[in-house]
Amino acid sequence: MGVHDPHDQPELLAPAPRGATAVTAAITALIFGPLTIVAGIMWVLYVLVSIEDSAREYRKVGGHTDLIIMGIVTVVIGLAWSVGGSLLLAYMKTGRFLLILASGVALIVSVAQLFTSGLTLLFVPAIVSLLILVLCAAPATGRWIVAEGSWL
């Protein structure tokens, strides 16, 4: 019988990534995406109604374009979160990219609005945006996509 080397072990496989960061980011995006879409649509409708009311009352219309654009951007961010969350759960790098892009834009818009309008309510979208951004940018999310998507 030969001498057995105790250090000679078969190569151990690295454990597969569990995907906690990716799944958390995707689920968060899938929850807040539709809520953001509804909030954006309601915002645009509110602004349009206030334009109509102010037109009747003051005969002066204008200055509401930036508010309508903000509502449209909110809807687009919500759509991007919804689509990105779905794509991320399908192990697609595009979903990760879309969530990072949408969350970055949402974070910038939320912080800018927070400083210009002072609404403390804007802390919620800023924190959600930051959460999704950090979870998607985590290296573990990329490893999970590559490991789980390799069977496709």
Side-chain angles (χ1 to χ4, degrees):
M1 290 207 236
V3 178
H4 179 62
D5 184 7
H7 299 288
D8 187 28
Q9 296 179 2
E11 189 175 314
L12 298 175
L13 296 174
R18 298 177 195 254
T21 56
V23 172
T24 303
I27 296 298
T28 303
L30 287 172
I31 290 171
F32 283 96
L35 292 174
T36 304
I37 292 168
V38 170
I41 290 170
M42 290 177 65
W43 179 256
V44 170
L45 292 175
Y46 171 76
V47 171
L48 291 175
V49 168
S50 69
I51 289 172
E52 185 179 318
D53 287 347
S54 66
R56 276 191 220 136
E57 210 168 299
Y58 302 110
R59 305 273 187 238
K60 180 182 174 190
V61 179
H64 297 293
T65 306
D66 58 336
L67 297 175
I68 292 173
I69 290 172
M70 187 176 78
I72 293 170
V73 168
T74 302
V75 171
V76 170
I77 289 169
L79 286 170
W81 277 348
S82 298
V83 171
S86 298
L87 292 175
L88 185 58
L89 286 178
Y91 311 111
M92 298 181 75
K93 292 178 186 177
T94 308
R96 180 183 187 200
F97 174 76
L98 192 57
L99 289 176
I100 289 172
L101 180 67
S103 297
V105 170
L107 183 62
I108 291 168
V109 169
S110 295
V111 170
Q113 287 294 320
L114 181 67
F115 285 121
T116 58
S117 69
L119 291 174
T120 56
L121 179 65
L122 292 171
F123 276 117
V124 174
I127 289 174
V128 169
S129 302
L130 184 61
L131 175 68
I132 294 172
L133 180 65
V134 168
L135 290 172
C136 285
T141 300
R143 287 191 302 268
W144 178 77
I145 293 170
V146 170
E148 294 296 326
S150 62
W151 63 272
L152 294 175

